[in-house]
Amino acid sequence: MEPKAAIPEAWVVSLFARMQAIFGARFSALWADADLDLVKRVWGEALAQVQPDDMRRAVMLLPREKRPPDLPRFLELCEPVPVAQRASFGPARLPLFERADAATVDTCMTRMRDGLAPLAGVSPSPQWAFDMLLRGTAHNGRPLGAEARRIATDAVVSAAGRACVADAPTAVRARYRAVFEAAYRARGGVPPSRVPGEDDEEPQEATL
């Protein structure tokens, strides 16, 4: 009969020493009537089926135990943790990757620069917020949620939003101005006076 796989006896001895330090005489009492060599061999064989990371986590949990664990209880502590609970045991270990060579880095950086090139010199504009509030729906046609409406309103009443009204084409400027003023009123404020270029359109009403 071939011997069963087992972790090194020194590991079991080290584990027992740690539990002895944590639980004192209560741990020793578990094996008062047992053959200690047999106990270590049985533990070594059982722990051979446990992943090293799971065993390390079980050792970290020992101080939380109210009583010294026997083998079945320690194996329970070694059970793999569901993904949703792993954060409490420290940061996940990233897999090791080979360092990219200079040519690969240059290629990736070139692709990034090419992808960002169309955005060079483009100033951010809150026009999307005006259009979304005028439309009253998202691009997919669904009604705007409270959070989407709040974010759009923040953009509309910002300094950039006011500038967007002033710079808007004549065909939409009055509607943008109505959205701008409605956003201020929705927050209980008074819309600021108009800036030059906004005085030529008939005022319109908008609701948010």
Short mmCIF file of all heavy atoms in Angstrom, two decimals, residues 151-204:
data_model
loop_
_atom_site.label_atom_id
_atom_site.label_comp_id
_atom_site.label_asym_id
_atom_site.label_seq_id
_atom_site.Cartn_x
_atom_site.Cartn_y
_atom_site.Cartn_z
N ILE A 151 -27.67 65.04 -12.95
CA ILE A 151 -26.37 65.28 -13.57
C ILE A 151 -26.50 66.26 -14.73
O ILE A 151 -25.68 67.17 -14.90
CB ILE A 151 -25.75 63.95 -14.03
CG1 ILE A 151 -25.41 63.08 -12.81
CG2 ILE A 151 -24.51 64.18 -14.88
CD1 ILE A 151 -24.98 61.68 -13.17
N ALA A 152 -27.54 66.07 -15.54
CA ALA A 152 -27.75 66.97 -16.68
C ALA A 152 -28.03 68.38 -16.19
O ALA A 152 -27.54 69.37 -16.76
CB ALA A 152 -28.90 66.45 -17.54
N THR A 153 -28.81 68.51 -15.12
CA THR A 153 -29.12 69.84 -14.58
C THR A 153 -27.86 70.51 -14.06
O THR A 153 -27.66 71.72 -14.25
CB THR A 153 -30.17 69.72 -13.46
OG1 THR A 153 -31.36 69.13 -14.00
CG2 THR A 153 -30.52 71.08 -12.89
N ASP A 154 -26.99 69.75 -13.41
CA ASP A 154 -25.71 70.30 -12.94
C ASP A 154 -24.92 70.89 -14.11
O ASP A 154 -24.32 71.97 -14.00
CB ASP A 154 -24.87 69.22 -12.26
CG ASP A 154 -25.39 68.86 -10.88
OD1 ASP A 154 -26.21 69.62 -10.34
OD2 ASP A 154 -24.98 67.81 -10.35
N ALA A 155 -24.91 70.17 -15.22
CA ALA A 155 -24.16 70.64 -16.39
C ALA A 155 -24.80 71.90 -16.98
O ALA A 155 -24.11 72.83 -17.39
CB ALA A 155 -24.09 69.53 -17.44
N VAL A 156 -26.13 71.94 -16.99
CA VAL A 156 -26.83 73.08 -17.59
C VAL A 156 -26.60 74.36 -16.81
O VAL A 156 -26.38 75.43 -17.39
CB VAL A 156 -28.34 72.76 -17.69
CG1 VAL A 156 -29.15 74.03 -17.97
CG2 VAL A 156 -28.59 71.73 -18.79
N VAL A 157 -26.63 74.30 -15.48
CA VAL A 157 -26.53 75.52 -14.67
C VAL A 157 -25.08 75.92 -14.40
O VAL A 157 -24.84 76.93 -13.75
CB VAL A 157 -27.28 75.36 -13.33
CG1 VAL A 157 -28.75 75.07 -13.56
CG2 VAL A 157 -26.64 74.27 -12.47
N SER A 158 -24.13 75.15 -14.90
CA SER A 158 -22.72 75.50 -14.71
C SER A 158 -22.35 76.70 -15.58
O SER A 158 -23.11 77.12 -16.46
CB SER A 158 -21.84 74.31 -15.06
OG SER A 158 -21.92 74.03 -16.46
N ALA A 159 -21.15 77.23 -15.34
CA ALA A 159 -20.67 78.33 -16.17
C ALA A 159 -20.56 77.90 -17.63
O ALA A 159 -20.85 78.67 -18.55
CB ALA A 159 -19.31 78.81 -15.65
N ALA A 160 -20.16 76.64 -17.83
CA ALA A 160 -20.07 76.13 -19.20
C ALA A 160 -21.46 76.05 -19.83
O ALA A 160 -21.62 76.28 -21.04
CB ALA A 160 -19.41 74.75 -19.20
N GLY A 161 -22.47 75.75 -19.01
CA GLY A 161 -23.83 75.70 -19.53
C GLY A 161 -24.31 77.07 -19.98
O GLY A 161 -24.95 77.21 -21.03
N ARG A 162 -24.00 78.08 -19.19
CA ARG A 162 -24.41 79.44 -19.56
C ARG A 162 -23.71 79.87 -20.84
O ARG A 162 -24.31 80.50 -21.72
CB ARG A 162 -24.08 80.40 -18.42
CG ARG A 162 -24.67 81.79 -18.63
CD ARG A 162 -24.41 82.69 -17.45
NE ARG A 162 -25.07 83.98 -17.63
CZ ARG A 162 -24.90 85.01 -16.82
NH1 ARG A 162 -24.12 84.89 -15.75
NH2 ARG A 162 -25.53 86.15 -17.05
N ALA A 163 -22.41 79.51 -20.96
CA ALA A 163 -21.68 79.85 -22.18
C ALA A 163 -22.26 79.10 -23.38
O ALA A 163 -22.30 79.63 -24.50
CB ALA A 163 -20.20 79.51 -22.01
N CYS A 164 -22.73 77.88 -23.13
CA CYS A 164 -23.33 77.10 -24.22
C CYS A 164 -24.58 77.78 -24.75
O CYS A 164 -24.84 77.78 -25.96
CB CYS A 164 -23.66 75.69 -23.71
SG CYS A 164 -24.28 74.56 -24.97
N VAL A 165 -25.35 78.40 -23.86
CA VAL A 165 -26.55 79.13 -24.29
C VAL A 165 -26.15 80.32 -25.16
O VAL A 165 -26.72 80.56 -26.23
CB VAL A 165 -27.35 79.61 -23.07
CG1 VAL A 165 -28.51 80.51 -23.52
CG2 VAL A 165 -27.88 78.43 -22.28
N ALA A 166 -25.15 81.06 -24.71
CA ALA A 166 -24.73 82.25 -25.45
C ALA A 166 -24.16 81.90 -26.82
O ALA A 166 -24.33 82.66 -27.78
CB ALA A 166 -23.70 83.03 -24.63
N ASP A 167 -23.48 80.75 -26.91
CA ASP A 167 -22.83 80.37 -28.16
C ASP A 167 -23.70 79.49 -29.05
O ASP A 167 -23.28 79.11 -30.15
CB ASP A 167 -21.52 79.61 -27.86
CG ASP A 167 -20.51 80.47 -27.12
OD1 ASP A 167 -20.61 81.71 -27.23
OD2 ASP A 167 -19.65 79.90 -26.42
N ALA A 168 -24.90 79.16 -28.59
CA ALA A 168 -25.76 78.24 -29.34
C ALA A 168 -26.22 78.88 -30.65
O ALA A 168 -26.39 80.10 -30.74
CB ALA A 168 -26.97 77.86 -28.50
N PRO A 169 -26.46 78.08 -31.68
CA PRO A 169 -27.01 78.61 -32.93
C PRO A 169 -28.36 79.28 -32.67
O PRO A 169 -29.09 78.91 -31.75
CB PRO A 169 -27.16 77.36 -33.80
CG PRO A 169 -26.20 76.36 -33.23
CD PRO A 169 -26.18 76.64 -31.76
N THR A 170 -28.67 80.25 -33.48
CA THR A 170 -29.91 81.00 -33.30
C THR A 170 -31.13 80.10 -33.26
O THR A 170 -32.08 80.34 -32.49
CB THR A 170 -30.06 82.03 -34.44
OG1 THR A 170 -28.91 82.88 -34.46
CG2 THR A 170 -31.31 82.88 -34.25
N ALA A 171 -31.11 79.04 -34.02
CA ALA A 171 -32.28 78.17 -34.13
C ALA A 171 -32.63 77.48 -32.81
O ALA A 171 -33.79 77.13 -32.58
CB ALA A 171 -32.06 77.12 -35.21
N VAL A 172 -31.64 77.29 -31.93
CA VAL A 172 -31.90 76.56 -30.68
C VAL A 172 -31.62 77.39 -29.45
O VAL A 172 -31.88 76.94 -28.34
CB VAL A 172 -31.05 75.26 -30.62
CG1 VAL A 172 -31.43 74.31 -31.75
CG2 VAL A 172 -29.57 75.57 -30.65
N ARG A 173 -31.11 78.61 -29.63
CA ARG A 173 -30.69 79.39 -28.46
C ARG A 173 -31.83 79.66 -27.50
O ARG A 173 -31.67 79.56 -26.28
CB ARG A 173 -30.07 80.71 -28.90
CG ARG A 173 -29.43 81.49 -27.75
CD ARG A 173 -28.83 82.79 -28.24
NE ARG A 173 -27.82 82.53 -29.25
CZ ARG A 173 -27.45 83.44 -30.16
NH1 ARG A 173 -28.03 84.63 -30.18
NH2 ARG A 173 -26.51 83.15 -31.04
N ALA A 174 -33.00 79.99 -28.01
CA ALA A 174 -34.13 80.30 -27.13
C ALA A 174 -34.54 79.06 -26.33
O ALA A 174 -34.86 79.15 -25.14
CB ALA A 174 -35.31 80.82 -27.95
N ARG A 175 -34.50 77.90 -26.96
CA ARG A 175 -34.86 76.67 -26.24
C ARG A 175 -33.82 76.33 -25.19
O ARG A 175 -34.15 75.88 -24.09
CB ARG A 175 -35.03 75.52 -27.24
CG ARG A 175 -36.31 75.61 -28.06
CD ARG A 175 -36.48 74.39 -28.94
NE ARG A 175 -35.48 74.38 -30.00
CZ ARG A 175 -35.17 73.31 -30.72
NH1 ARG A 175 -35.75 72.15 -30.47
NH2 ARG A 175 -34.27 73.37 -31.69
N TYR A 176 -32.54 76.53 -25.52
CA TYR A 176 -31.49 76.28 -24.54
C TYR A 176 -31.63 77.23 -23.35
O TYR A 176 -31.44 76.84 -22.20
CB TYR A 176 -30.11 76.44 -25.18
CG TYR A 176 -29.64 75.25 -25.98
CD1 TYR A 176 -30.52 74.23 -26.35
CD2 TYR A 176 -28.31 75.13 -26.38
CE1 TYR A 176 -30.09 73.15 -27.09
CE2 TYR A 176 -27.86 74.05 -27.11
CZ TYR A 176 -28.76 73.06 -27.47
OH TYR A 176 -28.33 71.99 -28.20
N ARG A 177 -31.96 78.49 -23.66
CA ARG A 177 -32.14 79.47 -22.59
C ARG A 177 -33.30 79.06 -21.69
O ARG A 177 -33.23 79.19 -20.46
CB ARG A 177 -32.40 80.86 -23.18
CG ARG A 177 -32.66 81.94 -22.14
CD ARG A 177 -31.42 82.25 -21.34
NE ARG A 177 -31.74 83.01 -20.12
CZ ARG A 177 -30.83 83.50 -19.30
NH1 ARG A 177 -29.55 83.33 -19.55
NH2 ARG A 177 -31.18 84.16 -18.22
N ALA A 178 -34.37 78.54 -22.28
CA ALA A 178 -35.52 78.11 -21.48
C ALA A 178 -35.14 76.95 -20.56
O ALA A 178 -35.55 76.90 -19.40
CB ALA A 178 -36.66 77.71 -22.41
N VAL A 179 -34.33 76.02 -21.07
CA VAL A 179 -33.87 74.90 -20.24
C VAL A 179 -32.98 75.42 -19.12
O VAL A 179 -33.09 74.99 -17.96
CB VAL A 179 -33.12 73.87 -21.11
CG1 VAL A 179 -32.45 72.82 -20.23
CG2 VAL A 179 -34.07 73.21 -22.09
N PHE A 180 -32.10 76.35 -19.45
CA PHE A 180 -31.20 76.94 -18.47
C PHE A 180 -31.99 77.59 -17.32
O PHE A 180 -31.71 77.37 -16.14
CB PHE A 180 -30.31 77.97 -19.18
CG PHE A 180 -29.35 78.68 -18.28
CD1 PHE A 180 -28.16 78.09 -17.89
CD2 PHE A 180 -29.61 79.97 -17.85
CE1 PHE A 180 -27.25 78.76 -17.08
CE2 PHE A 180 -28.72 80.65 -17.04
CZ PHE A 180 -27.54 80.05 -16.65
N GLU A 181 -32.99 78.39 -17.67
CA GLU A 181 -33.78 79.08 -16.65
C GLU A 181 -34.63 78.10 -15.85
O GLU A 181 -34.78 78.24 -14.63
CB GLU A 181 -34.64 80.15 -17.31
CG GLU A 181 -33.82 81.29 -17.91
CD GLU A 181 -34.69 82.35 -18.56
OE1 GLU A 181 -35.91 82.10 -18.73
OE2 GLU A 181 -34.15 83.42 -18.91
N ALA A 182 -35.18 77.09 -16.52
CA ALA A 182 -35.99 76.10 -15.81
C ALA A 182 -35.14 75.33 -14.81
O ALA A 182 -35.61 74.98 -13.72
CB ALA A 182 -36.63 75.14 -16.81
N ALA A 183 -33.89 75.07 -15.17
CA ALA A 183 -32.99 74.35 -14.26
C ALA A 183 -32.74 75.17 -13.00
O ALA A 183 -32.73 74.64 -11.88
CB ALA A 183 -31.68 74.03 -14.96
N TYR A 184 -32.54 76.47 -13.16
CA TYR A 184 -32.35 77.33 -12.00
C TYR A 184 -33.61 77.35 -11.13
O TYR A 184 -33.54 77.26 -9.90
CB TYR A 184 -32.00 78.75 -12.44
CG TYR A 184 -30.52 79.04 -12.38
CD1 TYR A 184 -29.71 78.83 -13.49
CD2 TYR A 184 -29.93 79.51 -11.21
CE1 TYR A 184 -28.35 79.09 -13.44
CE2 TYR A 184 -28.57 79.77 -11.15
CZ TYR A 184 -27.78 79.56 -12.27
OH TYR A 184 -26.44 79.81 -12.21
N ARG A 185 -34.75 77.49 -11.76
CA ARG A 185 -36.00 77.57 -10.98
C ARG A 185 -36.27 76.24 -10.27
O ARG A 185 -36.82 76.23 -9.16
CB ARG A 185 -37.16 77.93 -11.90
CG ARG A 185 -37.06 79.33 -12.50
CD ARG A 185 -38.37 79.73 -13.18
NE ARG A 185 -38.25 81.03 -13.82
CZ ARG A 185 -37.97 81.20 -15.11
NH1 ARG A 185 -37.81 80.13 -15.90
NH2 ARG A 185 -37.87 82.41 -15.62
N ALA A 186 -35.92 75.13 -10.91
CA ALA A 186 -36.15 73.83 -10.29
C ALA A 186 -35.38 73.70 -8.99
O ALA A 186 -35.76 72.93 -8.10
CB ALA A 186 -35.76 72.71 -11.25
N ARG A 187 -34.31 74.45 -8.86
CA ARG A 187 -33.51 74.41 -7.65
C ARG A 187 -33.86 75.55 -6.69
O ARG A 187 -33.15 75.77 -5.71
CB ARG A 187 -32.03 74.49 -8.01
CG ARG A 187 -31.58 73.28 -8.82
CD ARG A 187 -30.10 73.25 -9.00
NE ARG A 187 -29.69 71.98 -9.56
CZ ARG A 187 -28.43 71.58 -9.63
NH1 ARG A 187 -27.47 72.35 -9.17
NH2 ARG A 187 -28.13 70.41 -10.16
N GLY A 188 -34.91 76.26 -7.02
CA GLY A 188 -35.34 77.33 -6.13
C GLY A 188 -34.55 78.60 -6.28
O GLY A 188 -34.63 79.49 -5.42
N GLY A 189 -33.78 78.72 -7.36
CA GLY A 189 -32.97 79.91 -7.57
C GLY A 189 -33.58 80.84 -8.60
O GLY A 189 -34.61 80.54 -9.21
N VAL A 190 -32.94 81.98 -8.77
CA VAL A 190 -33.37 82.96 -9.76
C VAL A 190 -32.36 82.96 -10.88
O VAL A 190 -31.16 83.14 -10.64
CB VAL A 190 -33.46 84.37 -9.14
CG1 VAL A 190 -33.85 85.39 -10.20
CG2 VAL A 190 -34.45 84.37 -7.99
N PRO A 191 -32.80 82.74 -12.12
CA PRO A 191 -31.85 82.70 -13.24
C PRO A 191 -31.07 84.01 -13.34
O PRO A 191 -31.64 85.09 -13.14
CB PRO A 191 -32.74 82.49 -14.46
CG PRO A 191 -34.00 81.90 -13.92
CD PRO A 191 -34.17 82.50 -12.56
N PRO A 192 -29.78 83.94 -13.62
CA PRO A 192 -29.00 85.17 -13.78
C PRO A 192 -29.44 85.93 -15.01
O PRO A 192 -30.10 85.39 -15.90
CB PRO A 192 -27.57 84.66 -13.92
CG PRO A 192 -27.71 83.27 -14.44
CD PRO A 192 -28.97 82.73 -13.83
N SER A 193 -29.10 87.21 -15.05
CA SER A 193 -29.48 88.03 -16.20
C SER A 193 -28.81 87.48 -17.45
O SER A 193 -27.78 86.82 -17.39
CB SER A 193 -29.05 89.47 -15.96
OG SER A 193 -27.66 89.55 -15.77
N ARG A 194 -29.40 87.81 -18.57
CA ARG A 194 -28.88 87.30 -19.83
C ARG A 194 -27.57 87.97 -20.20
O ARG A 194 -27.29 89.10 -19.82
CB ARG A 194 -29.91 87.52 -20.94
CG ARG A 194 -31.23 86.81 -20.66
CD ARG A 194 -32.14 86.86 -21.85
NE ARG A 194 -33.37 86.10 -21.57
CZ ARG A 194 -34.20 85.69 -22.50
NH1 ARG A 194 -33.96 85.94 -23.77
NH2 ARG A 194 -35.29 85.01 -22.18
N VAL A 195 -26.79 87.23 -20.95
CA VAL A 195 -25.52 87.77 -21.42
C VAL A 195 -25.71 88.29 -22.83
O VAL A 195 -26.68 87.94 -23.50
CB VAL A 195 -24.43 86.67 -21.40
CG1 VAL A 195 -24.19 86.19 -19.98
CG2 VAL A 195 -24.80 85.50 -22.29
N PRO A 196 -24.83 89.15 -23.31
CA PRO A 196 -24.97 89.67 -24.67
C PRO A 196 -25.11 88.55 -25.69
O PRO A 196 -24.41 87.54 -25.63
CB PRO A 196 -23.67 90.45 -24.88
CG PRO A 196 -23.27 90.86 -23.50
CD PRO A 196 -23.68 89.72 -22.62
N GLY A 197 -26.03 88.73 -26.61
CA GLY A 197 -26.27 87.71 -27.62
C GLY A 197 -27.49 86.87 -27.33
O GLY A 197 -27.93 86.11 -28.18
N GLU A 198 -28.06 87.00 -26.12
CA GLU A 198 -29.22 86.20 -25.76
C GLU A 198 -30.51 87.02 -25.78
O GLU A 198 -31.56 86.51 -25.46
CB GLU A 198 -29.05 85.63 -24.35
CG GLU A 198 -27.92 84.64 -24.21
CD GLU A 198 -27.88 84.08 -22.81
OE1 GLU A 198 -28.87 83.46 -22.41
OE2 GLU A 198 -26.88 84.28 -22.11
N ASP A 199 -30.43 88.27 -26.14
CA ASP A 199 -31.58 89.15 -25.95
C ASP A 199 -32.48 89.24 -27.17
O ASP A 199 -33.51 89.92 -27.12
CB ASP A 199 -31.09 90.57 -25.60
CG ASP A 199 -30.29 90.58 -24.31
OD1 ASP A 199 -30.68 89.84 -23.39
OD2 ASP A 199 -29.29 91.29 -24.26
N ASP A 200 -32.10 88.60 -28.25
CA ASP A 200 -32.84 88.79 -29.49
C ASP A 200 -33.96 87.78 -29.69
O ASP A 200 -34.77 87.93 -30.59
CB ASP A 200 -31.89 88.70 -30.69
CG ASP A 200 -30.79 89.75 -30.61
OD1 ASP A 200 -31.06 90.82 -30.02
OD2 ASP A 200 -29.69 89.48 -31.12
N GLU A 201 -34.01 86.72 -28.86
CA GLU A 201 -35.02 85.69 -29.07
C GLU A 201 -36.20 85.90 -28.15
O GLU A 201 -36.09 86.44 -27.06
CB GLU A 201 -34.42 84.29 -28.81
CG GLU A 201 -33.34 83.90 -29.79
CD GLU A 201 -32.01 84.52 -29.45
OE1 GLU A 201 -31.80 84.88 -28.27
OE2 GLU A 201 -31.18 84.69 -30.36
N GLU A 202 -37.34 85.44 -28.62
CA GLU A 202 -38.52 85.46 -27.77
C GLU A 202 -38.33 84.46 -26.64
O GLU A 202 -37.87 83.34 -26.86
CB GLU A 202 -39.76 85.08 -28.59
CG GLU A 202 -40.17 86.13 -29.61
CD GLU A 202 -40.64 87.41 -28.94
OE1 GLU A 202 -41.22 87.32 -27.83
OE2 GLU A 202 -40.41 88.49 -29.50
N PRO A 203 -38.64 84.82 -25.40
CA PRO A 203 -38.49 83.88 -24.30
C PRO A 203 -39.41 82.68 -24.47
O PRO A 203 -40.52 82.80 -24.97
CB PRO A 203 -38.86 84.72 -23.07
CG PRO A 203 -39.71 85.82 -23.59
CD PRO A 203 -39.19 86.12 -24.97
N GLN A 204 -38.94 81.52 -24.07
CA GLN A 204 -39.72 80.30 -24.13
C GLN A 204 -39.75 79.66 -22.76
O GLN A 204 -38.93 79.95 -21.90
CB GLN A 204 -39.13 79.32 -25.16
CG GLN A 204 -39.13 79.87 -26.59
CD GLN A 204 -38.70 78.82 -27.59
OE1 GLN A 204 -38.71 77.63 -27.30
NE2 GLN A 204 -38.33 79.26 -28.78
#
